[in-house]
Amino acid sequence: MFQQTLIVGRIGRDPEMRYTPGGIPVTNFSVAVDRRWTDANGQTQEKVTWFRIICWRKLAEVTAQYVKKGQRILVAGDIEATAWLDRDGTPRASLELTAERVRFLSDRERETEGEGGPPAEVVAEGDKEAVAGGELPF
């Protein structure tokens, strides 16, 4: 059974792109997903979950070019959770999502900036990527 995780959040830091020894581009960045609710006492509560995102090949190049800290984004892909003890013996955990699809979500201030922005959506399909509704502009 194929399962995919879908997250919507804000970019926590600008992406870092590098190349594997074989020359394959890979980009990493973080996404904060926040959840708000009202508890039984009427108090607003908030919880933020951080995800490490990894993109490969052309998807890595596109996200490295267009992803900026604070931007809203939707990422779909395979998730892996890792748990460990740090040097002090404190339990730690990490959520890493290997992206297969990235959708750049608009912010009101970016909508007025005009052309030159990112494609609407980039999809990794094996070794090739496609933009929903058309070809990549590069």
Side-chain angles (χ1 to χ4, degrees):
M1 173 187 252
F2 178 73
Q3 290 186 336
Q4 194 171 62
T5 300
L6 193 76
I7 64 167
V8 175
R10 291 210 178 263
I11 304 297
R13 63 179 167 88
D14 287 336
E16 297 175 8
M17 188 170 100
R18 65 185 193 291
Y19 293 88
T20 67
I24 298 171
V26 58
T27 297
N28 294 288
F29 56 93
S30 60
V31 173
V33 176
D34 51 320
R35 183 171 63 105
R36 292 184 181 99
W37 71 95
T38 304
D39 66 16
N41 298 324
Q43 298 293 319
T44 301
Q45 302 292 321
E46 181 176 3
K47 179 178 180 175
V48 177
T49 303
W50 286 93
F51 292 84
R52 293 182 348 181
I53 310 298
I54 185 166
C55 301
W56 292 93
R57 298 178 177 78
K58 190 68 174 178
L59 187 58
E61 295 172 338
V62 172
T63 55
Q65 180 177 356
Y66 290 113
V67 167
K68 302 289 183 244
K69 181 178 178 176
Q71 179 180 14
R72 290 184 61 232
I73 195 167
L74 177 147
V75 182
D78 296 324
I79 195 164
E80 183 175 332
T82 306
W84 70 93
L85 296 176
D86 69 11
R87 292 180 185 174
D88 299 328
T90 305
R92 300 284 182 186
S94 172
L95 294 170
E96 184 174 275
L97 194 143
T98 301
E100 294 177 12
R101 179 179 301 248
V102 172
R103 176 174 285 273
F104 298 96
L105 303 176
S106 64
D107 287 328
R108 287 187 183 117
E109 60 272 10
R110 286 186 49 219
E111 289 174 356
T112 61
E113 290 178 10
E115 297 299 316
E121 183 172 1
V122 183
V123 181
E125 298 172 352
D127 286 345
K128 68 177 191 174
E129 272 71 12
V131 175
E135 294 298 316
L136 285 174
F138 26 67

